[in-house]
Amino acid sequence: MSQPMALLSSDLSEPERRLIVAALRGEPVDMGGASVRGTVLAELVAAARPGWVLPRGGLELARVVVTGGLDLAGSAPPVPLTLLEAVIEPGADGVAFIIRDARLMRLTLQATHILGAVVADRAEVTSHVLIGDCAIDGPLQARSARIGGTLAIERSHIGDGEVSMFAAGLAVEGPLVLRASRCSGAVVLTRARLGGGLNAEAASVACEGRPALDLGALRSAGDIVLTRCDIGGGGVMLEGASIDGLLTACGASVGSGGIDAHGATITRSVLLADARLAGPLSIAGARIGAGLAARGIEVHGGAISIDARLARIGGGVDLGSAKLVGTFEAAAVEIAGSLDLQHARLYGAACALDAAAARIGGDVLLQRAVVQGRAGLAGADVTGRVSLTAATIRCDDGEAFDMTAARVGAALAIDGGATIAGRVALDRLHGEDTELLLTGSRLSSLASARGAAQTRAATSDAVALSLAGARLARIVMPDRAEDRPRGIIDLSRSHAGEYVDFAAAWPPPVSTADATGRSASAEHLVLDGFTCGRLANPGGEAGAPASAGAARVCGAERVAWLEAQAPAAVAQRFHPQPWAHMAERLAAQGCTAGARAVTLAAHRRRRICATAGTAERWLGRADDLLTRHGQSPWRPFVALVVVAVMFAGLFGWAESHCTTGAPCSGGAAFVTTAASLDDELAFHPLGYSVDALLPFVDLGYTRAWTENPAWHPPALASGSGSAPAVRGGQLLRLARVMETLLGLALLLLLVSGVWRSRR
């Protein structure tokens, strides 16, 4: 009898005898579907009986049915174990395969069907665990297990519907592979340590009510690959994970739990291109060494689609052509590269993008994006440019696009057919080299978008563009009237180094009736405190530089532009600052005629505003008539000449009518005051009028001649036998006093007009 046969006992069945004989000889064993007891197989593997010592090549067992379960708990077989096309039936407790606290060299399961759970808690495998094309009807439990090589589960089906793999604290020196496997239940790898990363490409995990793939606090020295995975409603949990490599889930489908990686540390990129998430993507507080590439991603997150608050991303964020249902929360995020949302579709209930206080080292690109809800970058710091070229944004309440108190390093482009329905809030936006480009944009306030009947429903809803307090290098307004923002444009307290506004495209504001029936401005400018360093086109023409013809007519265009302010700033309580600044700017750029036209229009608006008193209005009219508010200082001089000639005609007419007919020196209306005829100065009406008109000019006529109190013209004397109550001489004296007062007033206007014109 051979030595292996001598080691057989009478309690063994014939298949068990064949198994032991072949195994001890070191031959591969094909049982042809025969059954062996699990206890016998366990004793063989563990060398529990005398002489049952497997050769160094280990045991390779094919097509066997193991009954009663296989229990290798606490054993330490020094040889590898391989099961091919085997079936392991469960024991009394429902567990089919137990290697708890065992120490194995290598374990290989190929095309094997395990009809119960696998328990491998605290097991140690010196080399690899290879499971391929297997079916495990229960969970694979490997808490705190240690594997010195690779743990590969490929093309296998694991789980009982609740848990498929429970391996908290698992340590794998090599990679953990779940490629193309189907997991019925949660895969729990919390606090696991993976020396070669996780590869679950094309795997599927079905689980509801808890994270389907739980990698919380995972430590991985390699990539986490979830490419083309199908992960159930529980989603992926990566909270607090540390990944020294990539996290990629390109083309993956994730259930309502989404991907939760808040607080995670990922040394390289996160790749989510073309992924489909039925829940949110959370990277709040995460540290990502390179970029986030998620072009074409689709996220249905409910209230929040992507939560990136306080995240630190070492590269750019590419969400081009993405579809995000829910708010993209990116408050206080730090992005070293660009935020790319070109061709993206963002749908939020109230807010679609919230990047308040974000720090972005590159550009913010929303070109051709469609945004439903507020897009907010309030307080953001963008090193590059912000582009909304051809984008469409609509918000039903409040700001549609908000960059209040933000800083932009280059251009802010809302051009190329960009359409925004709702307020564009750029208050206190600043940038030393920042250009605001609105060419070809279509901005409309909420009130305008809702229709003219609701234009004055709310003041904030009537604002289309607000630049209050902004400081920019250049502002370029739309160059066509049809592209003009529909609503109020607020430029109060803002400053532009260069301003291009195409004033010719700004007719006076459209007026509608508010709820009280009073006329109200539906569209107007707010210019209180607005200043600019240079007008690129003083005449408001399209194109630069301004032509000579435009320079001549720029005053009328600028007056029309200034009159486009709210009635409260023009007709009710006049605000002079915008007019004064515009006149100063036109004069500085050589458009002196335009500056004068603006100044004159300002004086006239001040005179007729509702707060002007009666005296102020009459004085203003006189100043306008006589000096054009200082623009024509020579007019009082002409008025002086006209008054002198008029009163000279009166005095000449009076001197030619002597009622007594007696000869008298100089006529009866005037009598001489000379002591003798030799001292007498001949009366001259014009000289007398000039002396009366200009009391500081002494030609001697008013000293030599005085009015005759007893004189009266024939018109007063005829038809009455008695002397009239008012004599002609008294009227002449009154006329001389009136001429003197007029002369003083005109002299004062002349001096003040010359002084104002010199200023």
Side-chain angles (χ1 to χ4, degrees):
M1 181 180 294
S2 64
Q3 178 64 25
M5 293 297 294
L7 298 177
L8 301 177
S9 61
S10 60
D11 62 337
L12 300 178
S13 65
E14 182 59 28
E16 293 170 350
R17 290 172 181 269
R18 287 193 295 112
L19 165 64
I20 293 171
V21 170
L24 294 180
R25 289 175 180 173
E27 301 173 355
V29 183
D30 187 346
M31 298 299 296
S35 299
V36 299
R37 288 173 292 171
T39 54
V40 174
L41 181 58
E43 289 176 349
L44 175 62
V45 172
R49 296 190 185 187
W52 286 17
V53 178
L54 294 172
R56 297 183 60 182
L59 174 62
E60 182 177 323
L61 182 59
R63 295 197 298 169
V64 65
V65 177
V66 181
T67 62
L70 179 59
D71 188 354
L72 298 176
S75 64
V79 295
L81 174 62
T82 303
L83 297 177
L84 305 176
E85 300 182 41
V87 175
I88 303 177
E89 296 178 349
D93 56 358
V95 179
F97 191 17
I98 302 175
I99 53 175
R100 181 191 305 117
D101 296 316
R103 297 183 64 186
L104 307 179
M105 180 179 290
R106 186 177 70 238
L107 175 63
T108 302
L109 302 175
Q110 184 68 36
T112 295
H113 189 182
I114 301 175
L115 300 178
V118 176
V119 177
D121 294 340
R122 299 176 300 280
E124 294 186 16
V125 180
T126 306
S127 182
H128 310 296
V129 175
L130 306 176
I131 303 175
D133 298 304
C134 294
I136 303 175
D137 293 347
L140 170 59
Q141 183 172 305
R143 295 175 296 182
S144 301
R146 302 288 183 270
I147 299 175
T150 300
L151 171 56
I153 306 174
E154 299 189 68
R155 301 177 303 280
S156 298
H157 179 203
I158 308 174
D160 60 359
E162 289 190 15
V163 177
S164 59
M165 185 174 181
F166 187 35
L170 172 69
V172 182
E173 293 296 328
L176 170 58
V177 180
L178 290 171
R179 186 185 297 116
S181 294
R182 293 186 298 116
C183 301
S184 298
V187 176
V188 181
L189 294 167
T190 55
R191 303 185 307 281
R193 297 190 300 277
L194 308 179
L198 169 65
N199 187 343
E201 183 177 356
S204 65
V205 183
C207 179
E208 300 290 340
R210 60 180 295 181
L213 180 58
D214 192 346
L215 306 177
L218 174 80
R219 298 292 180 267
S220 174
D223 301 338
I224 303 296
V225 179
L226 305 176
T227 304
R228 300 193 307 279
C229 277
D230 185 359
I231 300 175
V236 180
M237 171 62 73
L238 280 161
E239 178 184 359
S242 178
I243 302 171
D244 189 7
L246 296 171
L247 169 61
T248 175
C250 296
S253 177
V254 183
S256 58
I259 298 177
D260 186 353
H262 72 272
T265 300
I266 303 168
T267 60
R268 296 176 64 190
S269 300
V270 175
L271 308 178
L272 299 171
D274 298 316
R276 299 292 181 268
L277 277 63
L281 167 64
S282 176
I283 54 172
R287 302 294 186 270
I288 300 175
L292 169 61
R295 181 168 290 271
I297 190 173
E298 185 172 326
V299 183
H300 294 265
I304 297 177
S305 58
I306 298 179
D307 188 355
R309 289 173 291 185
L310 299 172
R312 304 293 181 266
I313 301 174
V317 175
D318 185 358
L319 291 168
S321 303
K323 180 181 179 181
L324 306 179
V325 180
T327 303
F328 178 10
E329 291 278 6
V333 69
E334 288 188 9
I335 301 174
S338 297
L339 174 58
D340 189 347
L341 288 162
Q342 298 182 77
H343 300 274
R345 292 166 293 164
L346 282 66
Y347 304 101
C351 178
L353 170 63
D354 184 2
R359 299 293 179 266
I360 300 172
D363 303 328
V364 176
L365 304 176
L366 280 160
Q367 297 167 355
R368 301 188 182 280
V370 176
V371 182
Q372 175 63 51
R374 182 173 64 90
L377 289 155
D381 188 343
V382 182
T383 302
R385 62 194 176 100
V386 178
S387 177
L388 276 70
T389 302
T392 300
I393 303 177
R394 182 180 179 88
C395 182
D396 295 329
D397 186 22
E399 298 86 0
F401 182 66
D402 184 5
M403 287 199 71
T404 301
R407 191 193 73 83
V408 179
L412 169 55
I414 309 176
D415 58 357
T419 303
I420 302 179
R423 180 153 56 105
V424 177
L426 306 178
D427 302 334
R428 303 188 302 283
L429 177 68
H430 61 285
E432 296 179 357
D433 301 318
T434 303
E435 289 185 307
L436 173 60
L437 306 176
L438 297 171
T439 307
S441 63
R442 299 291 181 90
L443 311 184
S444 59
S445 66
L446 282 177
S448 177
R450 291 168 182 165
Q454 303 182 52
T455 297
R456 302 298 291 175
T459 303
S460 60
D461 288 352
V463 178
L465 174 63
S466 180
L467 279 160
R471 295 290 182 271
L472 301 173
R474 192 165 185 254
I475 298 177
V476 181
M477 300 298 288
D479 56 353
R480 300 186 304 173
E482 56 267 29
D483 294 337
R484 178 166 60 105
R486 301 303 178 189
I488 298 171
I489 298 180
D490 188 352
L491 298 173
S492 59
R493 305 181 307 282
S494 62
H495 174 78
E498 183 176 75
Y499 187 68
V500 187
D501 72 331
F502 304 103
W506 286 89
V510 179
S511 294
T512 59
D514 61 15
T516 63
R518 296 174 298 180
S519 177
S521 176
E523 302 174 13
H524 62 256
L525 298 170
V526 181
L527 298 174
D528 294 340
F530 168 72
T531 59
C532 64
R534 180 178 179 274
L535 287 169
N537 54 342
E541 78 293 344
S547 63
R552 287 193 295 269
V553 300
C554 63
E557 299 291 354
R558 288 299 157 185
V559 169
W561 182 73
L562 290 164
E563 286 179 339
Q565 297 180 80
V570 178
Q572 297 176 13
R573 183 181 295 275
F574 183 75
H575 295 176
Q577 183 275 332
W579 302 76
H581 173 72
M582 187 53 59
E584 178 184 352
R585 181 89 319 265
L586 290 173
Q589 294 184 212
C591 300
T592 54
R596 290 174 180 172
V598 171
T599 302
L600 179 60
H603 284 295
R604 289 172 175 171
R605 296 300 177 276
R606 186 198 300 270
R607 183 185 77 212
I608 64 176
C609 71
T611 57
T614 303
E616 182 180 0
R617 293 185 181 186
W618 281 106
L619 289 174
R621 290 190 183 97
D623 191 17
D624 192 2
L625 176 65
L626 295 173
T627 70
R628 295 181 73 242
H629 296 283
Q631 299 295 323
S632 301
W634 47 267
R635 282 194 174 188
F637 178 78
V638 174
L640 284 171
V641 173
V642 172
V643 170
V645 171
M646 288 176 56
F647 278 91
L650 173 64
F651 296 147
W653 172 83
E655 188 270 340
S656 65
H657 288 69
C658 183
T659 57
T660 61
C664 55
S665 178
F670 297 92
V671 295
T672 182
T673 59
S676 64
L677 292 177
D678 296 335
D679 297 330
E680 181 180 336
L681 180 65
F683 181 81
H684 193 281
L686 183 59
Y688 190 85
S689 176
V690 171
D691 254 358
L693 181 66
L694 304 174
F696 303 107
V697 177
D698 186 8
L699 300 179
Y701 290 99
T702 55
R703 287 187 292 103
W705 296 92
T706 185
E707 298 82 3
N708 183 4
W711 173 83
H712 53 271
L716 296 178
S718 62
S720 175
S722 60
V726 179
R727 295 183 177 275
Q730 295 173 336
L731 295 176
L732 288 176
R733 178 164 296 180
L734 180 60
R736 181 163 66 91
V737 172
M738 290 178 59
E739 184 182 14
T740 301
L741 294 176
L742 282 174
L744 291 174
L746 291 174
L747 280 174
L748 182 60
L749 286 174
L750 178 63
V751 173
S752 65
V754 171
W755 178 73
R756 282 188 290 176
S757 66
R758 293 180 65 86
R759 288 187 62 191

